[in-house]
């Protein structure tokens, strides 16, 4: 069983969109996936899950955890192959617990300078956690990238500040289907016929996040 925490100290960087789409893609690949929302301020994924049920799709339940005890009991149960935790875009105790107990931290960042700069303050949180426990492997996912963008120099130099960080080769492009599909509780991999590029991108990303060496 592997625990993946999707985190960034900044809001609106694609954490929930990535968490939801990863969870759907991995479940479609046959894995037992627990999707955990620890962002008590917004519970975005719970709303997405309700929208899915309302759309008449097969349910995808989201587990709400509001304490370290609840979080660790989900992980200890061993009922799942993958636990995906969607953390809030701010620095808080439960978010730090979710980072410390993960096998891998996935950090979505776009090229926007505020997100790249925000990564530096996120690293401050990782340094504080490192004083008490080892910090899991960090993988950066480039998100909301324009169709033709390909150098991502700002993100690459920010990533170098955490020498063991890797950057996923698969880039999550800016696509309207991400927000449109989430509104109805779908994942882009379920819309492969009409949105093959988005579906392919998400399957590749899921494979990198789950299987690449930790
Ligand atoms: N690849 C993408 N292409 C287009 N829009 C995207 C993409 N990823 C995310 N978005 C949009 O960006 C906005 C923020 O995304 P999301 O809610 O996933 O961020 P978040 O990091 O979870 O935010 P918060 O910190 O507030 O929880 C949403 O409107 C979402 O639809
Ligand atoms: Mg969110």
């Amino acid at each position: 069983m592997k625990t993946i925490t999707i985190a960034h100290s900044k809001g609106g960087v694609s954490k929930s969109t990535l968490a939801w789409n990863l969870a759907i893609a991995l479940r479609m690949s046959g894995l037992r996936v627990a999707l955990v929302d620890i962002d008590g301020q917004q519970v975005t994924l719970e709303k997405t899950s309700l929208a899915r049920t309302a759309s008449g799709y097969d349910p995808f339940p989201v587990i709400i955890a509001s304490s370290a005890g609840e979080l660790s009991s989900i992980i200890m149960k061993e009922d799942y192959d993958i636990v995906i935790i969607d953390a809030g875009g701010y620095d808080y105790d439960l978010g730090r617990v979710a980072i410390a107990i993960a096998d891998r931290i996935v950090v979505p960042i776009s090229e926007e300078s505020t997100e790249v700069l925000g990564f530096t303050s996120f690293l401050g949180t990782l340094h504080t956690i490192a004083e008490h426990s080892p910090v899991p492997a960090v993988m950066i996912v480039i998100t909301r990238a324009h169709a033709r963008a390909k150098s991502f120099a700002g993100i690459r130099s920010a990533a170098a500040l955490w020498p063991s960080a890797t950057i996923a080769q698969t880039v999550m492009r800016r696509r309207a289907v991400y927000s449109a599909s989430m509104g109805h509780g779908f994942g882009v991999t379920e819309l492969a016929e009409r949105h093959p590029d988005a579906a392919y991108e998400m399957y590749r990303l899921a494979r990198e996040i789950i299987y690449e060496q930790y």
Side-chain angles (χ1 to χ4, degrees):
M1 198 272 293
K2 289 216 166 83
T3 302
I4 311 284
T5 294
I6 308 202
H8 191 309
S9 46
K10 196 179 172 321
V13 297
S14 307
K15 294 180 298 295
S16 299
T17 306
L18 182 56
W20 179 257
N21 279 283
L22 267 185
I24 302 260
L26 293 168
R27 192 175 80 166
M28 288 174 77
S29 312
L31 294 171
R32 298 170 305 162
V33 182
L35 182 55
V36 185
D37 192 335
I38 61 160
D39 183 357
Q41 290 186 6
Q42 304 198 66
V43 288
T44 306
L45 294 184
E46 189 188 34
K47 291 179 197 153
T48 309
S49 174
L50 290 172
R52 182 179 179 89
T53 311
S55 301
Y57 248 55
D58 57 328
F60 200 123
V62 168
I63 305 169
I64 308 284
S66 49
S67 69
E70 283 173 23
L71 205 50
S72 47
S73 73
I74 296 162
I75 293 168
M76 302 300 252
K77 258 201 229 149
E78 296 281 342
D79 282 353
Y80 306 103
D81 301 309
I82 304 284
V83 176
I84 296 174
I85 303 172
D86 179 25
Y90 42 98
D91 188 7
Y92 62 128
D93 287 348
L94 189 54
R96 289 186 180 205
V97 170
I99 288 170
I101 62 174
D103 296 295
R104 164 165 278 171
I105 309 166
V106 171
V107 189
I109 316 182
S110 82
E111 283 187 291
E112 276 173 41
S113 55
T114 52
E115 289 178 35
V116 176
L117 283 173
F119 181 68
T120 326
S121 62
F122 182 65
L123 290 183
T125 303
L126 295 188
H127 279 297
T128 311
I129 293 171
E131 290 167 15
H132 309 284
S133 58
V135 172
V138 172
M139 179 181 262
I140 290 167
V141 172
I142 300 172
T143 59
R144 281 164 293 127
H146 290 287
R148 283 178 301 279
K150 53 173 183 254
S151 85
F152 310 113
I155 295 176
R156 290 188 198 287
S157 53
L161 297 171
W162 192 262
S164 60
T166 55
I167 302 180
Q169 281 182 16
T170 310
V171 171
M172 193 178 170
R173 298 280 164 185
R174 183 181 293 274
R175 302 178 193 274
V177 65
Y178 279 113
S179 48
S181 57
M182 250 186 108
H184 298 286
F186 304 145
V188 295
T189 45
E190 295 172 305
L191 305 171
E193 261 179 45
R194 282 180 53 210
H195 300 278
D197 293 350
Y200 178 65
E201 171 177 289
M202 191 47 59
Y203 274 129
R204 280 194 53 165
L205 202 46
R207 197 176 58 197
E208 273 193 70
I209 290 172
I210 300 309
Y211 296 114
E212 200 159 279
Q213 195 89 48
Y214 286 36

